[in-house]
Amino acid sequence: MDAPSARLPLARVHHVALITADYPRARRFYLEVLDAEVINETYREHRDSHKLDLLLPGGIQLELFSFPSPPPRPSYPEACGLRHLALATTDLDTSVALLEVRGAHPEPIRIDEYTGARFTFFSDPDGTPIELYEVET
């Protein structure tokens, strides 16, 4: 195989892993605010750590980990590494309304200056930036 011209055979994002400082609070947020379903939940005693596999609407899989005393996120959202988690929605207005009723605090809706699409940001309980980006069906 000619490595310089070959394409890496990636199919999709498999999952996104997040670390929380407060497992019960984050678990509740992802289940009750973002409508996640539990795929698997494990407590790893030797690490004093929970691992929660979640399925969000649209087939998006998250892994939620807890560790004793994780360091805080350095900044919002300009920390080196993962900038934010972006989720596509076909109805931004309904999504924002549901988030607000469920206690999340989305920012005012903005327009992407390059694509013209509408989007907003809110945060999970640990301050992880989550973007809702409106797409056409």
Side-chain angles (χ1 to χ4, degrees):
M1 177 175 287
D2 183 21
S5 63
R7 300 281 302 164
L8 196 61
L10 300 177
R12 59 183 171 80
V13 172
H14 183 268
H15 68 270
V16 175
L18 303 169
I19 296 173
T20 181
D22 185 333
Y23 182 74
R25 179 184 67 180
R27 184 184 191 282
R28 188 171 41 259
F29 174 84
Y30 283 98
L31 293 176
E32 296 175 9
V33 176
L34 290 187
D35 291 331
E37 297 176 22
V38 174
I39 298 170
N40 189 43
E41 188 169 19
T42 306
Y43 177 70
R44 301 173 305 173
E45 189 171 349
H46 67 283
R47 298 180 82 176
D48 190 22
S49 170
H50 290 89
K51 179 181 184 284
L52 179 61
D53 297 311
L54 297 168
L55 184 64
L56 293 175
I60 303 155
Q61 191 171 329
L62 297 179
E63 287 181 343
L64 182 64
F65 293 92
S66 70
F67 293 107
S69 305
R73 184 176 174 84
S75 69
Y76 178 89
E78 286 76 20
C80 188
L82 180 69
R83 181 175 171 98
H84 62 266
L85 173 62
L87 304 173
T89 179
T90 57
D91 187 343
L92 187 60
D93 295 318
T94 297
S95 296
V96 166
L98 283 169
L99 289 170
E100 289 173 340
V101 167
R102 295 172 181 180
H105 305 286
E107 297 175 353
I109 293 173
R110 297 186 259 167
I111 306 295
D112 184 312
E113 63 184 276
Y114 299 106
T115 67
R118 298 180 335 134
F119 68 97
T120 188
F121 280 91
F122 61 102
S123 297
D124 78 358
D126 292 290
T128 303
I130 301 172
E131 178 183 11
L132 282 181
Y133 196 89
E134 193 168 53
V135 297
E136 294 184 22
T137 55

